Amino acid sequence: MLLSKRGLGLLFVKMSFIPFMLCALAFSAYGATIAIDLDLVTPGIQNTADLSVGTGQGVITGAAVLLGTVGDSVTTNIVNVNAVGSGAPPVAIIDETANQATVLTIGDVPNANPANVTTQLKSNRFRFSNISATPTLIDADGLVLFHFALPMLQLDQKAVGDTINLSYVSSEIDALAGVVINNIANTFGDNGVDPFLTEQGAVVTIVGAVEEPTATPTNTEVVEVPTATPTEVVQEPTPTPTNTEVEPTPTNTEVAPTPTETEIPPVCADAGYYVLTSFGQHIRVGNPLLVSGNVSSVNPVFADMEVGMSTPDGGGFPTLDLAVLNQSGVVTFIENPNSTPAQQFIFDASSPCGLAVDVVMSQDSNAFWVLTEGGAIYRAGDANVGGTSATAQLGNDAANLCNMLPIPFGAMRDPSIGQPNDGATIRAVGLAVVQQNLAEMISKGGASVNAVPTGFVVLDSQGGSYLFDGIGVSIRGADFGGVYVPGGAANGTGVLDRTTIYPFFQGRDIARDIELRTATSAANGLVIYDGWGGIHPVPVDIESPVRFLRNETAVGSGVPISTVGMPYLVTAFDDPTSVGVDEGLGALDVNSIFADIEFCSDGISEGVYTLDRFGGVFAFGSTRNTPDSTAPRFSGSPYFFPFQYAIDMEPVLTGVTPEPTPSDD
């Protein structure tokens, strides 16, 4: 990002603002104050906010801001902040030591040596150290020393009215902590109060569930057009990294609005959904079954999440759980981690097939499949019959894919949006596993069907699709070309049919997600989602259970299901956590924000949710709050703008009755 003062607000909150006037601050002898700002989008220091228990688990976000004399130079800064909760037991921060790097992030004072930037997170305090930092001048807005996104312990109605008080205080660990201004070390005193820097704290109040519809990105213009439909697709069955004779634009069908009233679709039966953040937090929205616990990892960057069933330690009935994948390829159930299927693989930056990008859980939760950015498919649980690291990777043609991916676009790059060194690559981004149905699993004992599912579809970032049978043999032929090569796998049906047309975005790093309509049916179709918000059903040209994503009542009818479509933004967005660059000025595809699409989990009604990296959730069809609104039916969804913390969402069919709000009666 370009070093910016304004950017991060408190999640799912109603903000109560305190006006800020620079002249009203009581500056210390060195004219400096450290303030806690809970809303960097709004000018001035916003030091009060409300955190809703409607999500079950919250995040307090904001920044430590140094206010002082314009033109003064700041270098080393070691800042300690207390986070003291009221209540019995007091509300507290989750002590996720392994995830500090994403909970506390550098602000406006850069450092040429990343090793000099360290963090510490405890249940009632946190600390950010930036040693020998690059000298940076204070301006009229002050300097953001660091950002924070503090995951809270599970919140419920009993916490309503409790508070968390955030304040800059002296360190119990290092008496020399403080801020260096104009080469003068403003250190802490022995009495626990900094003699040179004044402080302005902040208070967060826990409130009841917010009743408004899900927050819609107010900083993101929603283009009200019908759902994007891929009418311009490759006319050969197999788009590959070398096949560029295709019109590249992911299209958005222009359906003229009609004056007739929008038909009300059947309502999706989901009880709510969970949102996964890049630092591993699962945020509960609506009233899905509660998944307790927290996941941490030596690798703090998380990649995907799946709904599954786990068994509590000591036995008992299986319960709803969430399986979370980090980039190292490690999958963990959140509530009952010991119930996670065994895996025999782990990745790092030097792994030949790259880091993990996607996970698919088996229908019986006894197995899962992990996709890497090189296109390799790794099996765990009873899907890996051999039970060793040597047998974990799916073989045959599927194993050869990581000899091809990832690769730079080179001459294949779309010149209309490509920029030098823009980071665009052709890499695997999504995996669909067509599984055998649950009845077959039960009759065969599970292991055999997980070991050899019906087939796999791998999606790359250019929209290239690769079809494999259950043992990894290419359905389109070993050369991955569009013409069947004798010796390949037998042809499949539906999305595994080698003649099925898939969308392809020539020269563009834009495909982001792939999702089956039904996990056990190739015939029911799938959807591909792009980073601009384009929704591309497969098949696109025939009647199928995904036809509704064309926003037509019938294929070719021209009659829209809704006159209000979904967001579609051909726009680049800045990443505030980067230093010295504004990605908002970069390539439109690489820096797009839409990330995930999910079908209503009831398997019957015609509806989807979509997620952007800011946490914005949008709905189409049966998942909508009202037919002519893009908002889903659940309030209290998190929103991180301008930070791109949201990674994945998963709807949940089963839920709980909301706990009644305490009354005065």
Side-chain angles (χ1 to χ4, degrees), residues 121-139:
L121 179 68
K122 298 296 182 183
S123 62
N124 60 358
R125 69 177 185 273
F126 50 96
R127 171 187 178 99
F128 188 87
S129 300
N130 190 357
I131 309 297
S132 300
T134 303
T136 305
L137 301 183
I138 300 175
D139 64 18

Side-chain angles (χ1 to χ4, degrees), residues 28-29 33 62 115 127 133 161 167 234 531 556 566 608 629-630 654:
S28 64
T33 293
R127 171 187 178 99
S167 58
V234 61
M566 295 287 276
V608 293
S629 167
T630 60
T654 55

Side-chain angles (χ1 to χ4, degrees), residues 68 99 238 420 472 491 522:
N99 292 336
T238 310
N491 197 20

Side-chain angles (χ1 to χ4, degrees), residues 336-655:
N336 298 302
N338 292 334
S339 185
T340 309
Q343 65 182 99
Q344 293 78 31
F345 53 86
I346 190 169
F347 316 122
D348 59 28
S350 63
S351 296
C353 294
L355 298 173
V357 295
D358 199 8
V359 62
V360 176
M361 181 64 61
S362 69
Q363 292 289 287
D364 59 3
S365 296
N366 290 330
F368 58 82
W369 298 267
V370 170
L371 177 73
T372 73
E373 57 195 344
I377 300 170
Y378 286 83
R379 302 168 290 185
D382 60 24
N384 181 10
V385 176
T388 69
S389 58
T391 58
Q393 185 179 354
L394 184 66
N396 298 310
D397 297 318
N400 295 328
L401 190 53
C402 85
N403 295 324
M404 301 171 54
L405 302 177
I407 58 172
F409 275 89
M412 294 183 291
R413 189 74 168 112
D414 182 349
S416 68
I417 58 173
Q419 298 182 10
N421 303 313
D422 60 14
T425 61
I426 303 173
R427 64 195 180 283
V429 296
L431 174 67
V433 182
V434 180
Q435 302 175 48
Q436 303 205 32
N437 64 50
L438 192 57
E440 290 174 309
M441 286 185 172
I442 294 173
S443 66
K444 297 179 182 179
S448 61
V449 288
N450 286 337
V452 186
T454 303
F456 302 87
V457 182
V458 174
L459 175 72
D460 73 31
S461 54
Q462 192 178 210
S465 57
Y466 310 88
L467 312 184
F468 303 105
D469 69 6
I471 60 173
V473 178
S474 174
I475 292 174
R476 293 193 179 122
D479 67 347
F480 302 112
V483 179
Y484 172 62
V485 176
N491 197 20
T493 61
V495 299
L496 294 175
D497 186 328
R498 65 176 66 98
T499 65
T500 296
I501 296 174
Y502 279 71
F504 184 58
F505 317 122
Q506 179 182 321
R508 297 184 171 183
D509 183 343
I510 196 63
R512 295 293 179 262
D513 192 27
I514 184 171
E515 193 75 21
L516 284 167
R517 179 71 167 94
T518 308
T520 58
S521 173
N524 284 351
L526 57 76
V527 62
I528 290 171
Y529 192 49
D530 73 45
W532 293 331
I535 296 174
H536 310 275
V538 177
V540 66
D541 54 348
I542 60 174
E543 286 293 333
S544 75
V546 296
R547 181 266 309 146
F548 74 96
L549 294 174
R550 290 174 54 99
N551 193 21
E552 284 187 306
T553 57
V555 171
S557 71
V559 179
I561 296 171
S562 173
T563 57
V564 177
M566 295 287 276
Y568 186 76
L569 302 174
V570 185
T571 306
F573 290 84
D574 183 35
D575 177 4
T577 63
S578 67
V579 177
V581 61
D582 184 353
E583 289 86 356
L585 303 177
L588 297 175
D589 52 355
V590 175
N591 302 295
S592 57
I593 60 164
F594 292 99
D596 186 34
I597 188 167
E598 299 288 340
F599 287 99
C600 170
S601 62
D602 65 18
I604 301 172
S605 64
E606 296 184 339
V608 293
Y609 309 89
T610 65
L611 174 77
D612 69 37
R613 292 295 309 277
F614 301 133
V617 175
F618 305 91
F620 181 76
S622 66
T623 55
R624 284 186 168 179
N625 187 41
T626 62
D628 295 325
S629 167
T630 60
R633 297 183 298 111
F634 311 105
S635 64
S637 198
Y639 194 52
F640 302 90
F641 182 86
F643 286 81
Q644 299 179 29
Y645 288 151
I647 296 296
D648 185 64
M649 69 168 294
E650 290 294 330
V652 177
L653 183 62
T654 55

Side-chain angles (χ1 to χ4, degrees), residues 328-341:
S328 293
V330 177
V331 176
T332 308
F333 276 133
I334 291 176
E335 183 156 330
N336 298 302
N338 292 334
S339 185
T340 309

